[in-house]
Amino acid sequence: MDDDGVPGLVRPMLATPGALPVGPGWAVEFKWDGIRAVVAAGAGRVRVWSRNANDVTASYPELVEGPTAAALAGLGPVLLDGEIVALDARGRPEFTRLAQRMHVRLPGSDLVAQVPVLLYVFDVLDLHGRSLLGEAYDDRRAELAALPLNGVRHVAVPPSYTDVTAAQLMDVARAHRLEGVVSKRRRSRYEPGRRSSAWVKTPLVTTQEVLVGGWTPGQGRRAGTIGALLLGAYDGQGRLRYLGHVGTGFTDAALDQLAAVLAPLALPRSAFDEVIPPAEARTARWVRPSLVGEVVYRTLTPDHRLRHASWRGLRPDRDPGEVVLEPAT
């Protein structure tokens, strides 16, 4: 507990990628297409941290000011785990929409109005000075259900299902074009900062976190800006492997943003630990691989090249060292 009566940060527990579990003892939730957030409230104030422990309180004024903040602080002291999302016109979380907010430290009122966010709360970690980390998932969810969050603007508590299988809920996620499901062992404790097999995430789309190691100039309509990004990720030996390039999925605003953040990262030579194909290296502008993004792709070739990749957005909530190459399929 901080001196001001607000709970301190607990690193969020992470799910392990895997197939849908079968058998008893699992609760199933939808997987939300947003960014992880740990939220502390109490003593009249609210703080928000990203998954990599960055304080992003100022980035989300709709959660930390006004009636929403008053309602959250009134629960406290409390520490909540959840996901910040931005909804599309059909009410579904959409990462590319949220990407317009993620990199903005102090968003103006126009941006907040155009791209409002919601906090989806799915766990409670500390309540009135009592740690719940050692409690079972079912018990934490019962504590969460007892909190008066219904009707709080910009906040929702998505359901957890214990009476359907993961496969059944995945069918629902597919029908509604959601991101997938997360299955959680009902007797599991909360493991801060650990990627645990007690939580299993099964996405419907295949994504890869990537490091931007360079870019190539655009042509035609994109002349004078970025044509494609050259992508990489670390392998098990700490080498920066080349994953290929991505040239689709960008809005004009995203291209402007990328040009601005890549300019000060310029390098005289490639930081990749392997040879880049000459056709791409010939015109490449190299950068320090410290910028994390995310792509969606169809397949990963045996030589670790992303096929049919499309850009989803920057991931300021990720640390570069976390960007690890997934096995080829």
Side-chain angles (χ1 to χ4, degrees):
M1 188 79 65
D2 292 348
D3 293 339
D4 57 6
V6 177
L9 171 66
V10 169
R11 290 267 189 168
M13 180 174 172
L14 306 176
T16 299
L20 296 170
V22 296
W26 294 93
V28 194
E29 306 171 9
F30 288 117
K31 189 175 187 299
W32 304 113
D33 204 8
I35 59 169
R36 195 71 172 274
V38 175
V39 178
R45 64 183 295 235
V46 178
R47 294 186 67 186
V48 184
W49 292 278
S50 67
R51 196 187 88 168
N52 54 350
N54 288 331
D55 189 324
V56 294
T57 303
S59 298
Y60 302 104
E62 57 266 71
L63 302 179
V64 302
E65 299 174 2
T68 299
L72 290 174
L75 305 173
V78 66
L79 189 66
L80 305 171
D81 186 7
E83 193 96 351
I84 293 176
V85 301
L87 305 183
D88 66 12
R90 297 187 179 184
R92 299 174 301 203
E94 182 183 28
F95 182 81
T96 53
R97 182 168 168 78
L98 179 64
Q100 300 175 59
R101 291 285 305 271
M102 289 172 58
H103 67 284
V104 182
R105 173 68 177 168
L106 296 169
S109 57
D110 287 346
L111 180 58
V112 171
Q114 292 166 8
V115 188
V117 301
L118 296 174
L119 173 65
Y120 282 0
V121 181
F122 50 71
D123 218 323
V124 56
L125 313 183
D126 195 288
L127 186 60
H128 304 306
R130 178 171 63 95
S131 173
L132 302 180
L133 301 180
E135 303 292 327
Y137 168 86
D138 276 355
D139 295 331
R140 299 196 311 274
R141 285 291 306 199
E143 294 279 10
L144 178 59
L147 295 176
L149 288 170
N150 289 334
V152 176
R153 192 180 181 199
H154 298 295
V155 179
V157 180
S160 168
Y161 299 91
T162 58
D163 56 350
V164 299
T165 66
Q168 289 171 321
L169 199 65
M170 181 64 94
D171 287 340
V172 177
R174 184 177 294 107
H176 291 272
R177 298 185 179 181
L178 299 177
E179 195 188 10
V181 301
V182 180
S183 307
K184 300 180 179 180
R185 289 197 178 276
R186 299 176 63 183
R187 297 181 62 183
S188 63
R189 65 182 297 275
Y190 195 93
E191 302 175 64
R194 183 170 181 268
R195 192 174 294 281
S196 171
S197 60
W199 289 9
V200 178
K201 61 179 180 179
T202 311
L204 281 168
V205 296
T206 307
T207 62
Q208 169 73 45
E209 291 171 8
V210 293
L211 291 169
V212 180
W215 58 277
T216 57
Q219 300 178 357
R221 191 184 71 84
R222 286 225 204 135
T225 185
I226 295 170
L229 299 176
L230 307 181
L231 309 176
Y234 292 111
D235 65 13
Q237 287 73 49
R239 298 172 301 184
L240 184 61
R241 299 290 301 275
Y242 181 63
L243 301 185
H245 67 274
V246 60
T248 62
F250 303 104
T251 64
D252 289 343
L255 289 172
D256 291 342
Q257 175 199 2
L258 284 165
V261 296
L262 289 173
L265 302 179
L267 290 177
R269 59 184 61 87
S270 171
F272 291 102
D273 292 310
E274 60 183 306
V275 176
I276 308 303
E280 293 166 8
R282 187 175 302 115
T283 61
R285 310 297 198 261
W286 306 113
V287 298
R288 177 163 50 89
S290 59
L291 197 66
V292 181
E294 184 173 287
V295 297
V296 60
Y297 68 97
R298 188 174 299 172
T299 58
L300 188 66
T301 67
D303 60 345
H304 297 104
R305 296 292 189 269
L306 301 168
R307 287 179 54 82
H308 305 290
S310 180
W311 181 253
R312 275 165 58 88
L314 293 173
R315 295 302 308 237
D317 59 324
R318 300 292 197 264
D319 292 321
E322 293 182 282
V323 181
V324 177
L325 184 65
E326 299 293 340
T329 57

